Amino acid sequence: MAGIYVFLSAVLVIMLYPLIYVVSASFSSPDAVANGKVFLLPVDITTIGYEAVFQNQKIVTGFLNSVFYLVAGTALNLMMTMLAAYPLSRKEFYGKKLVTGIFVFTMYFSGGLVPSYLLMKNLGLLDTRAVLIIPVAMSVWNVIIARTYLQSTIPDELFEAASLDGCSEIGFFLRIVLPLSKPIMAVLVLYYGVGHWNSYFNAMIYLKSPDLQPLQIVLREILLLGNVDMTMITDAAALEKMQGLSNLLKYAVIVVASLPMMCIYPFVQKHFVKGVMIGSLKG
Amino acid sequence: MRKGLKQMRKHWQFYLLIALPLIYIIVFCYIPMPGVLMAFERYSPSKGLLGSDWVGLQHFKQFFASPSSTRIIWNTLRIGLYSLIAGFPIPIILAVAVNEVANKRFKKSVQMITYAPYFISTVVLVGILAQITDPRLGVLNKIIELFGGDPINFMGNPKMFDHLYVWSGIWQGVGYNSVIYIAALAGVSKELQEAAVVDGASRWKRIWHVDLPSIRPQIIILLIFSVGNVLNIGYEKIYLMQNDLNIQTSEVISTFVYKVGLVNADYGFSTAVGLFNAVISIILLTTTNYIAKKTTDTGIW
């Protein structure tokens, strides 16, 4: 029994250490980080890294853009997914098998990168905000999860009874299905929301304008391409100081970018586990 | 047929509801599909998809004849198989361990903490990796120096690429991937477990003969998906981890497709390589599913 606890405690240390280190480094002085004095807790606590983050116009713009893509994108995702899942969950929907087949086929085969790019170009979506929202309006996998949920929670008798009372399909959808679907909608919001907040690839291939870029693209420039503006610095001492600060800024921006999701997920965790479970049902 | 029509008329509102999602699928998923024909032609936007000159299998021949193709295919296979072999069993091990814990609070904490990295974006993950392994400022090298070693440029070392990619992926995904097994293990019959204990089975024997066999369907289904996805490795992450120093071992089919197709605008060649990848993946998926169906009666379709 003790062996299990030792094993899991070791797992926890491995999971937590990188996260704790990043947070600690983001609050430590640049010198302490550069000289290897920070191992677990912050050394010479300071918030200049965060000040640099919030003074950086690119990061602020990226953050606001990401909030927009998150809210608008997730709202559209939710609407589209429920619109598709409801008819597909009803046996009265003639052609259900065919439509499901049409949907599911796209999970296994796609035209590929270049044809998709050319489609965006032909639709005039390149370098517009819409390109991060409309082409990813719905995920078939999530439709299947929502459909499975509706099939298992809303009994056929309820639909039949409502039909007899003269309730239309749309009326049933709005008055019965949606209110009963809150748990699955929470799962969908989480899945889609995390997806919007964390994705960078579509923005990289479809967007050019700097003022449209989501946070992840800005992060990539700062963290991985090393594009922190240091052109005005000439003397060596100032340069070294600047490099220390830019290193600190990297830690701080990692924290700022991850904080929204880290704060939200513990509250939706139980829904998220439920989503994985529904997804695992064969259907 | 007549019954169908009657049913369609009676429930016409269903079609109204699903119209928008269906249009979306047709426009964004089906309209690009014929684009795979580019793989067999010298595509020219002015001549269009059907008007461009057909070149047959030339792009495929060009790919297989080029010296880089062997390397790229090998990189894809190697990284994919390494991810599968290392990454597949670990969530099961974690789930079994979590399931053995009696203390509810400890159990909840372990689950909560192991899920956390899943919510970090790929860019941030690779950013953390780059920061921690930085040859000059990274804490990993500070620790190595503390023990008298020389700093290692992890991200710039082609030999390290696989390990960094696979183990950072396990770090990020192990909690999320264990959810399904933890839930399945929670459903294992208590009576069966107790019966095994009464019969004198040790903890390991019970896990091996009772717990694991009860979650076999979940294991097999996820294994089929994982094998089918061996070639579809995370190009978003690989692309971010690539640099001039490690490109020899880090270039995989999907990153190559992106560079040739969208950076160099060689549409036909890129589509051909992507199609090759997709076809092999579908073959892998169907074969694994077939074998699983034959041997264990479990499959995804």
Side-chain angles (χ1 to χ4, degrees):
Chain A
M1 198 63 209
I4 299 268
Y5 281 93
V6 172
F7 169 72
L8 285 176
S9 304
V11 170
L12 287 190
V13 170
I14 296 170
M15 298 311 283
L16 279 175
Y17 182 68
L19 300 176
I20 292 175
Y21 178 78
V22 167
V23 175
S24 295
S26 75
F27 282 108
S28 301
S29 80
D31 286 346
V33 177
N35 296 329
K37 285 185 192 143
V38 183
F39 285 105
L40 187 63
L41 296 174
V43 175
D44 302 333
I45 294 185
T46 164
T47 54
I48 54 169
Y50 289 91
E51 285 160 29
V53 165
F54 291 109
Q55 279 160 12
N56 186 317
Q57 198 48 50
K58 266 189 154 175
I59 297 178
V60 174
T61 310
F63 196 95
L64 295 177
N65 282 338
S66 278
V67 170
F68 172 76
Y69 295 128
L70 170 78
V71 173
T74 308
L76 181 67
N77 289 146
L78 197 56
M79 184 186 94
M80 293 287 278
T81 307
M82 292 311 289
L83 280 180
Y86 166 57
L88 293 180
S89 74
R90 303 266 24 122
K91 66 175 183 344
E92 294 83 0
F93 175 47
Y94 186 78
K96 176 182 147 175
K97 276 231 169 85
L98 176 70
V99 178
T100 309
I102 292 175
F103 277 38
V104 169
F105 181 70
T106 64
M107 287 165 67
Y108 299 102
F109 189 76
S110 79
L113 189 65
V114 171
S116 301
Y117 179 83
L118 293 177
L119 175 71
M120 302 308 158
K121 200 170 161 187
N122 292 336
L123 291 174
L125 286 171
L126 286 189
D127 208 22
T128 63
R129 283 186 191 275
V131 82
L132 293 193
I133 297 171
I134 296 173
V136 289
M138 193 179 85
S139 125
V140 170
W141 179 247
N142 287 341
V143 170
I144 303 294
I145 290 179
R147 181 211 61 178
T148 311
Y149 178 87
L150 294 183
Q151 265 172 352
S152 59
T153 48
I154 297 174
D156 285 342
E157 293 77 21
L158 196 59
F159 182 78
E160 280 151 22
S163 285
L164 284 178
D165 288 343
C167 184
S168 68
E169 289 81 5
I170 292 178
F172 187 74
F173 178 58
L174 295 176
R175 272 174 299 206
I176 315 266
V177 173
L178 288 184
L180 285 177
S181 306
K182 277 181 200 143
I184 192 66
M185 291 203 278
V187 172
L188 294 174
V189 166
L190 179 71
Y191 280 4
Y192 283 123
V194 171
H196 282 292
W197 188 261
N198 287 345
S199 71
Y200 82 94
F201 203 76
N202 282 354
M204 182 178 83
I205 57 183
Y206 296 136
L207 291 183
K208 290 264 178 299
S209 313
D211 53 329
L212 298 182
Q213 300 296 347
L215 184 60
Q216 300 299 329
I217 293 289
V218 182
L219 285 177
R220 174 174 173 249
E221 284 174 14
I222 292 175
L223 292 174
L224 301 169
L225 307 179
N227 289 351
V228 179
D229 197 11
M230 289 188 295
T231 43
M232 286 150 336
I233 320 291
T234 44
D235 65 305
L239 185 68
E240 196 173 320
K241 200 173 164 211
M242 203 59 208
Q243 280 173 342
L245 184 62
S246 98
N247 191 41
L248 195 61
L249 174 116
K250 289 180 183 177
Y251 286 111
V253 80
I254 287 176
V255 174
V256 171
S258 309
L259 211 57
M261 293 300 138
M262 287 291 154
C263 290
I264 295 168
Y265 99 86
F267 297 101
V268 277
Q269 191 194 324
K270 70 167 198 255
H271 294 305
F272 149 79
V273 173
K274 192 184 267 166
V276 176
M277 286 312 294
I278 302 168
S280 74
L281 293 175
K282 273 203 348 173
Chain B
M1 199 62 208
R2 171 152 309 163
K3 193 166 156 267
L5 271 176
K6 205 177 141 203
Q7 212 176 353
M8 281 170 87
R9 205 169 307 145
K10 190 171 163 213
H11 299 292
W12 61 272
Q13 292 190 343
F14 281 142
Y15 302 92
L16 190 67
L17 288 168
I18 207 155
L20 213 52
L22 198 56
I23 292 170
Y24 162 78
I25 287 286
I26 290 168
V27 171
F28 287 96
C29 299
Y30 280 87
I31 288 184
M33 277 184 198
V36 296
L37 291 177
M38 278 180 216
F40 308 97
E41 59 188 25
R42 191 173 297 111
Y43 180 74
S44 134
S46 56
K47 290 183 188 165
L49 192 59
L50 294 174
S52 294
D53 302 333
W54 296 95
V55 296
L57 295 175
Q58 193 197 306
H59 294 310
F60 293 91
K61 284 182 192 149
Q62 186 195 336
F63 177 60
F64 290 115
S66 76
S68 56
S69 73
T70 330
R71 202 189 70 228
I72 293 169
I73 295 173
W74 167 237
N75 286 345
T76 313
L77 261 179
R78 191 190 64 238
I79 299 173
L81 284 175
Y82 186 8
S83 301
L84 176 72
I85 293 165
F88 190 76
I90 292 180
I92 304 177
I93 297 170
L94 177 67
V96 168
V98 166
N99 191 52
E100 293 300 307
V101 171
N103 182 328
K104 273 222 166 79
R105 270 185 56 192
F106 185 68
K107 198 170 179 167
K108 282 256 175 289
S109 317
V110 172
Q111 285 180 267
M112 182 85 120
I113 291 167
T114 50
Y115 296 163
Y118 179 76
F119 294 90
I120 290 176
S121 74
T122 316
V123 177
V124 167
L125 177 73
V126 179
I128 294 178
L129 206 54
Q131 283 300 97
I132 287 182
T133 63
D134 187 279
R136 209 163 52 83
L137 300 169
V139 66
L140 197 54
N141 279 313
K142 298 287 182 200
I143 294 175
I144 291 177
E145 279 172 26
L146 212 62
F147 287 100
D150 289 321
I152 301 168
N153 183 1
F154 289 90
M155 297 286 275
N157 185 338
K159 288 196 186 113
M160 294 281 181
F161 185 85
D162 294 13
H163 305 302
L164 285 180
Y165 173 82
V166 169
W167 291 99
S168 64
I170 292 173
W171 180 78
Q172 179 162 41
V174 65
Y176 179 80
N177 292 327
S178 70
V179 171
I180 199 167
Y181 300 119
I182 292 176
L185 281 170
V188 174
S189 149
K190 288 280 168 296
E191 283 143 35
L192 212 56
Q193 289 180 331
E194 277 157 21
V197 175
V198 170
D199 286 348
S202 67
R203 173 193 296 274
W204 296 112
K205 282 222 160 116
R206 195 202 72 224
I207 290 173
W208 190 253
H209 293 291
V210 178
D211 293 358
L212 286 178
S214 346
I215 61 168
R216 203 169 72 170
Q218 281 82 5
I219 296 180
I220 290 168
I221 285 177
L222 290 180
L223 187 62
I224 296 171
F225 277 118
S226 305
V227 173
N229 276 324
V230 158
L231 294 188
N232 302 332
I233 35 185
Y235 59 95
E236 301 203 355
K237 185 169 146 200
I238 295 214
Y239 183 73
L240 292 173
M241 288 177 66
Q242 282 176 347
N243 54 46
D244 296 342
L245 297 171
N246 66 23
I247 199 73
Q248 280 293 101
T249 53
S250 67
E251 189 79 293
V252 296
I253 297 176
S254 39
T255 52
F256 183 70
V257 167
Y258 164 68
K259 288 175 194 168
V260 173
L262 295 189
V263 182
N264 301 348
D266 192 345
Y267 292 165
F269 185 55
S270 165
T271 307
V273 180
L275 184 60
F276 163 73
N277 196 36
V279 168
I280 302 285
S281 288
I282 291 175
I283 293 174
L284 276 176
L285 187 70
T286 359
T287 316
T288 330
N289 191 50
Y290 178 79
I291 296 171
K293 262 258 159 78
K294 277 274 170 219
T295 53
T296 64
D297 246 5
T298 317
I300 50 173
W301 61 70

